[in-house]
Amino acid sequence: MMHFSRLTTMAFAFASLLASSASAQTVLRSADTHPDGYPTVEAVKYMGELIKERTGGRYAVEVYPSAQLGEEKDTIEQTQAGVLDFNRVSMGPFNGIVPETRVPSLPYIFRSADHMRHTMDGPIGGELLKAFEAHNLVGLAFYDSGARSFYNSKKPITSLADMKGMKFRVIQSDVFVDMVNQLGANATPMGYGEVYSALETGVIDGAENNWPSFESAKHYEVAKYITLDQHQMVPEVLVMSKTSWDKLSSEDQAIVKQAAKDSVSKMRELWDAREKKSRAIVEAAGVKVSEIDKQPLIDAMKPVYDKYLSTPELKDLATRIQATE
Ligand code: GTR
């Protein structure tokens, strides 16, 4: 009997210990438009593991993939409002909010993936992360997004003239809209989640994205022609709500910042593998890949540069990006 009551006391103590440790854990929520397994989703999960480990379990991160919490425009608002703690989005939907993000979103501003990585890893990347602060956000890290290229359901595009009058979906950003219109095509801005059915029903002729998005969103099933024009290398950004950030001790803020930073190399490793895999999947499915002379496209972007490099500061930022080795 004595033995039994000791056991119950111990069980009770253990249960309350569990309850108190569970209640001591704060779960931070993060949104992503991509599905589970996509490099951005997995990188944020990895960051969450590091945060959990380094805070002794006081904090954990839960990633909501596949646009469960909304399209990027909506989740950005939620993050600014402090409803969401983290958000991983493209810089594109930020173009209307954070003017500095327009510069790395400009077509052909980066010469290569290495150029983009070096720029974002250096002082310019640091400066760009800081630019989010004025918008109730804390910029934590930049991830890769490879190169975006045009794909469509109608025909192979092998010259600029082929694009004339075609309707392409773009991210909800004026930079993207102007880019497509300057190429002689028609831009239709819409959320990522609507693109598949818009392609299928012919509301649009095409869209543009990198290999992993083209593949994971299954757009290749309804757009069989892709042209390797590689017009943009728009970095992905991981931000935290300033409201959530301010609730952390300065020690925990440092842990979050470092964990985000540490997730970048993990992301790049996953990215490099996924780019190859995605390309192989879509090619095996019969997608026709075309080459194009990029120079006429580059030349057509002059008015876009003139429009968006509207202040000496933005012009200087573009010059410094171009001068980065
Ligand atoms: C992808 C990017 C997403 C989303 C998407 C889009 O490359 O990773 O965050 O912005 O493009 O075109 O909407």
Side-chain angles (χ1 to χ4, degrees):
M1 196 58 195
M2 180 72 180
H3 189 60
F4 179 72
S5 80
R6 246 189 92 201
L7 258 184
T8 21
T9 316
M10 276 171 65
F12 182 77
F14 185 60
S16 60
L17 186 76
L18 269 183
S20 75
S21 70
S23 67
Q25 184 174 79
T26 304
V27 178
L28 303 168
R29 300 189 314 149
S30 187
D32 201 306
T33 200
H34 292 301
D36 258 334
Y38 195 94
T40 53
V41 173
E42 297 310 311
V44 176
K45 284 189 197 165
Y46 176 74
M47 174 193 74
E49 281 164 29
L50 296 179
I51 291 174
K52 195 166 163 185
E53 200 178 291
R54 295 171 186 175
T55 61
R58 285 180 293 109
Y59 287 96
V61 177
E62 189 158 355
V63 182
Y64 292 78
S66 304
Q68 281 173 37
L69 302 180
E71 295 288 345
E72 293 188 335
K73 260 187 97 192
D74 308 320
T75 58
I76 288 173
E77 278 174 23
Q78 291 171 33
T79 318
Q80 286 182 293
V83 177
L84 239 175
D85 303 299
F86 293 103
N87 201 1
R88 193 298 309 162
V89 290
S90 163
M91 266 196 178
F94 265 122
N95 290 167
I97 303 168
V98 184
E100 291 85 345
T101 64
R102 293 172 199 158
V103 183
S105 304
L106 284 171
Y108 299 111
I109 186 128
F110 294 114
R111 293 181 299 274
S112 64
D114 277 350
H115 179 207
M116 194 271 276
R117 288 178 179 183
H118 290 159
T119 306
M120 302 322 274
D121 287 347
I124 295 176
E127 210 176 289
L128 287 165
L129 287 177
K130 276 216 174 68
F132 289 87
E133 262 167 41
H135 308 275
N136 207 35
L137 296 165
V138 177
L140 291 175
F142 293 114
Y143 290 152
D144 275 41
S145 200
R148 300 178 77 97
S149 286
F150 288 101
Y151 47 83
N152 80 93
S153 62
K154 297 284 187 283
K155 61 181 188 198
I157 293 174
T158 57
S159 73
L160 183 54
D162 290 335
M163 295 182 74
K164 199 165 173 51
M166 289 182 81
K167 257 188 164 177
F168 288 98
R169 173 271 172 175
V170 289
I171 285 188
Q172 288 139 309
S173 147
D174 288 348
V175 177
F176 283 66
V177 169
D178 289 334
M179 166 186 74
V180 165
N181 293 343
Q182 283 301 325
L183 294 173
N186 299 317
T188 306
M190 66 171 78
Y192 190 51
E194 296 166 57
V195 180
Y196 185 97
S197 74
L199 283 167
E200 197 177 28
T201 57
V203 168
I204 49 173
D205 300 316
E208 44 83 55
N209 226 310
N210 51 45
W211 289 113
S213 296
F214 184 43
E215 174 261 312
S216 65
K218 311 257 183 265
H219 295 170
Y220 70 95
E221 293 177 355
V222 281
K224 291 281 182 206
Y225 304 98
I226 185 164
T227 298
L228 297 184
D229 63 278
Q230 303 177 314
H231 52 269
Q232 279 165 311
M233 291 191 172
V234 185
E236 312 278 15
V237 61
L238 175 65
V239 292
M240 188 171 192
S241 166
K242 181 77 166 48
T243 311
S244 311
W245 176 258
D246 288 341
K247 289 182 192 153
L248 302 176
S249 67
S250 58
E251 195 190 37
D252 289 337
Q253 287 176 345
I255 289 175
V256 167
K257 209 166 229 173
Q258 189 57 44
K261 213 171 162 203
D262 293 345
S263 70
V264 173
S265 49
K266 174 84 178 169
M267 195 279 169
R268 287 179 181 170
E269 205 180 285
L270 295 170
W271 181 259
D272 290 342
R274 182 65 180 249
E275 260 194 327
K276 289 194 189 82
K277 188 178 158 201
S278 294
R279 181 171 182 165
I281 291 172
V282 307
E283 287 193 310
V287 166
K288 174 145 183 23
V289 183
S290 303
E291 299 286 339
I292 192 168
D293 175 12
K294 293 179 193 169
Q295 198 54 50
L297 283 79
I298 295 171
D299 295 343
M301 291 303 108
K302 171 104 177 50
V304 181
Y305 275 61
D306 290 345
K307 178 171 173 188
Y308 291 101
L309 302 181
S310 53
T311 66
E313 290 77 18
L314 295 175
K315 235 178 235 151
D316 176 60
L317 177 57
T319 309
R320 285 185 291 122
I321 290 178
Q322 285 163 330
T324 303
E325 290 299 317

